[in-house]
Amino acid sequence: MSDIAERVKKIVIDHLGVDADKVVEGASFIDDLGADSLDTVELVMAFEEEFGVEIPDDAADSILTVGDAVKFIEKAQA
Amino acid sequence: MRRVVITGTGMVSPLGCGTEVSWQRLLAGQNAARVVTEFEVEDLPAKIACRIPVGDGSDGTFNVDQWMEPKEQRKVDPFIIYGVAAAEMALTDAGWHPQTDEDQIATGVLIGSGIGGLEGIVEAGYTLRDKGPRRISPFFIPGRLINLVSGQVSIRHKLRGPNHSVVTACSTGAHAIGDAARLIMLGDADVMVAGGAESPICRISLAGFAACKALSTQRNDDPQKASRPYDRDRDGFVMGEGAGIVVLEELEHAKARGAKIYAEVVGYGLSGDAFHITAPSEDGDGAFRCMTSALKRAGLGASDLDYINAHGTSTMADTIELGAVERLVGNAASKISMSSTKSAIGHLLGAAGAVEAIFSALAIRDNIAPPTLNLDNPDVETAIDLVPHTARKRDINVALSNSFGFGGTNASLVLRRYDA
């Protein structure tokens, strides 16, 4: 797993209080990890803070899974 | 009008986590005041407070993880956690866990707070200034709003009846219980979870209340002597924190399910001073009318009173309250015991009236008046027993609990022993 993926995973575990083994690439924040709409807003803010990137609202709306977040951040930092 | 009784209590107080542990320590004369060490107090005029004992949950300590999931804790200010914890205790104590639509809809929540999530608002202010609006959490607002104690309790226990809240400074807890009892009397609910929660011990709050000249600032080196209601050497209140929650229930509803009954809520009075933003009027008119109206509602006379849990904050206002009580009770003064439990737990602001109503109910249950600590030299002579230093065993069938708040907002509750 890449460094970005590890850091994303850690943020998700901390914010959603879920077990590490559930935080897989295809896991949906809302459907699989118990997040509500406010949790996802806060998650996106935490990603912005951790990686120093800006995630506009329309882009945030398309980040639905752990893998979506990793891909967005990798692209933004490339 | 339908009758209302208390069938459950829950409390997080500076004397401990739980009603019974707090009560037993109160009767034993324990004092919760200490120097604040959790944050910088060097530059504050008041460096002391009555803090909840935090620990692993044993020996009456408060273990936050027992009451709220860690991921939820960081989304809310502590007053919400205290309220959620005390409400869960009260519902468990009452044995009331509604499962059917009918029972859930018949059960409401009315929990208030005097100032709510002050600390979280300050921190979010720094975030806004230093990092900008995009860093304000979506949980900032719902983690600070005062009515979110009622909201959280309702969501957690599926209580779908009236969902309400009170904000009347230091009268909040008493108003919440009084108003909730009326909702039951009027038929809006059969059961109400009611009370107050507060977590005010932070720098901005100590600074603000000290600026109002309300806090004790002369005994930072001797904190357990600082809260001394009615004593001639008192110099202000000591801030406390916590929550007090009761389960109120319509009498027949409680009897039908064989619930334990602490006491009946027979009287509730309200008044406004219309005088000053922080000080009561010298003649104690607001307090007098408030108590008078609570007794009238109860259908009782002043001579029926056995115990009064005073507002008694350890400020100059103590003697004004005492004067109003003397005017109320007249010749019955010598049969009444009146104490201020703030001498042991400090002033819990919006939670004070609820915690003190619970103490009043327990005074009836156990026939004992809790003490007024540190009352070495009463400021004025009175025929009323102010219960100095040690608890007093005596018959208590009727108790009155006073709460007076900034803005000139007053509330009195009258509780009576329930005999089946």
Side-chain angles (χ1 to χ4, degrees):
Chain A
M1 204 179 255
S2 70
D3 170 57
I4 287 174
E6 280 297 335
R7 285 155 70 193
V8 165
K9 187 172 169 178
K10 184 171 184 314
I11 288 170
V12 172
I13 292 167
D14 288 349
H15 278 76
L16 301 182
V18 290
D19 292 335
D21 56 12
K22 286 190 178 163
V23 186
V24 294
E25 190 184 341
S28 157
F29 298 127
I30 288 175
D31 296 334
D32 301 319
L33 302 176
D36 64 19
S37 61
L38 297 183
D39 289 317
T40 60
V41 173
E42 200 186 44
L43 268 182
V44 166
M45 287 172 54
F47 296 147
E48 289 185 325
E49 181 96 8
E50 171 75 14
F51 296 100
V53 297
E54 188 170 324
I55 306 177
D57 287 350
D58 55 347
D61 290 344
S62 67
I63 299 178
L64 305 174
T65 68
V66 176
D68 292 341
V70 173
K71 265 180 235 144
F72 182 93
I73 294 159
E74 282 175 345
K75 207 166 141 193
Q77 289 196 330
Chain B
M1 201 76 88
R2 308 201 308 166
R3 295 170 67 182
V4 178
V5 292
I6 299 171
T7 57
T9 70
M11 185 184 296
V12 183
S13 90
L15 285 175
C17 178
T19 299
E20 291 301 332
V21 68
S22 298
W23 176 237
Q24 294 306 328
R25 288 173 179 175
L26 180 74
L27 294 180
Q30 289 192 28
N31 186 317
R34 64 170 172 83
V35 174
V36 173
T37 54
E38 293 80 5
F39 52 86
E40 179 63 50
V41 292
E42 194 51 42
D43 57 350
L44 295 172
K47 309 178 200 304
I48 59 176
C50 292
R51 304 225 67 171
I52 290 166
V54 173
D56 63 4
S58 63
D59 194 30
T61 56
F62 179 73
N63 177 355
V64 62
D65 292 340
Q66 290 178 344
W67 305 104
M68 189 177 280
E69 311 76 14
K71 80 179 177 82
E72 300 301 321
Q73 290 167 23
R74 60 179 184 77
K75 298 175 185 171
V76 300
D77 254 40
F79 78 102
I80 293 180
I81 304 178
Y82 302 156
V84 164
E88 186 173 331
M89 289 176 217
L91 285 161
T92 301
D93 184 40
W96 183 241
H97 304 285
Q99 303 296 325
T100 65
D101 277 352
E102 188 187 355
D103 286 347
Q104 290 176 351
I105 290 166
T107 307
V109 190
L110 203 170
I111 301 169
S113 181
I115 41 184
L118 202 49
E119 193 171 9
I121 292 170
V122 169
E123 283 168 13
Y126 291 141
T127 301
L128 179 65
R129 184 193 64 192
D130 298 339
K131 298 182 174 178
R134 287 182 60 85
R135 287 291 171 273
I136 297 296
S137 164
F139 300 108
F140 166 59
I141 297 293
R144 315 275 105 65
L145 289 179
I146 283 175
N147 72 296
L148 259 285
V149 186
S150 292
Q152 288 266 3
V153 169
S154 155
I155 292 162
R156 284 164 184 270
H157 298 281
K158 301 279 177 280
L159 311 181
R160 296 153 65 200
N163 198 269
H164 201 349
S165 190
V166 171
V167 181
T168 50
C170 305
S171 295
T172 297
H175 274 138
I177 292 173
D179 289 351
R182 289 205 172 159
L183 290 178
I184 296 173
M185 289 172 187
L186 293 169
D188 295 282
D190 292 329
V191 182
M192 290 292 296
V193 180
E198 202 81 82
S199 56
I201 302 173
C202 59
R203 280 175 59 77
I204 195 168
S205 159
L206 285 171
F209 278 97
C212 292
K213 304 293 179 198
L215 294 179
S216 170
T217 58
Q218 301 303 310
R219 290 185 178 81
N220 289 320
D221 53 356
D222 195 6
Q224 304 223 330
K225 298 289 181 195
S227 186
R228 42 195 317 114
Y230 312 109
D231 189 83
R232 71 173 183 215
D233 297 319
R234 66 195 187 279
D235 77 311
F237 78 77
V238 177
M239 199 177 283
E241 62 183 348
I245 307 284
V246 295
V247 173
L248 299 174
E249 194 164 347
E250 192 273 323
L251 176 61
E252 297 307 321
H253 189 278
K255 279 161 67 176
R257 66 183 191 90
K260 157 186 70 185
I261 294 175
Y262 284 88
E264 180 173 357
V265 181
V266 289
Y268 172 42
L270 313 83
S271 73
D273 286 348
F275 177 69
H276 185 267
I277 51 172
T278 62
S281 62
E282 289 287 332
D283 61 5
D285 170 68
F288 176 78
R289 287 186 291 105
C290 186
M291 291 185 283
T292 302
S293 126
L295 279 176
K296 181 181 171 194
R297 178 68 65 179
L300 297 172
S303 61
D304 296 312
L305 287 173
D306 299 305
Y307 172 65
I308 297 174
N309 188 297
H311 184 59
T313 54
S314 184
T315 62
M316 287 308 124
D318 295 356
T319 44
I320 296 174
E321 180 186 14
L322 182 57
V325 169
E326 286 183 318
R327 184 178 160 205
L328 177 81
V329 303
N331 293 333
S334 61
K335 76 169 277 270
I336 291 169
S337 293
M338 166 162 132
S339 62
S340 170
T341 46
K342 290 185 179 79
S343 59
I345 62 170
H347 191 352
L348 274 62
L349 308 179
V355 165
E356 291 161 16
I358 294 171
F359 288 154
S360 300
L362 297 174
I364 291 170
R365 184 192 70 179
D366 294 347
N367 281 309
I368 189 166
T372 304
L373 304 182
N374 295 319
L375 180 49
D376 299 331
N377 300 293
D379 197 14
V380 292
E381 276 194 29
T382 177
I384 296 170
D385 164 35
L386 296 176
V387 204
H389 305 301
T390 51
R392 188 180 314 287
K393 285 291 289 180
R394 55 157 296 160
D395 287 344
I396 298 177
N397 291 306
V398 177
L400 180 147
S401 183
N402 276 337
S403 296
F404 311 133
F406 279 4
T409 172
N410 311 305
S412 298
L413 293 167
V414 179
L415 308 180
R416 183 170 60 193
R417 177 182 305 282
Y418 176 75
D419 289 315

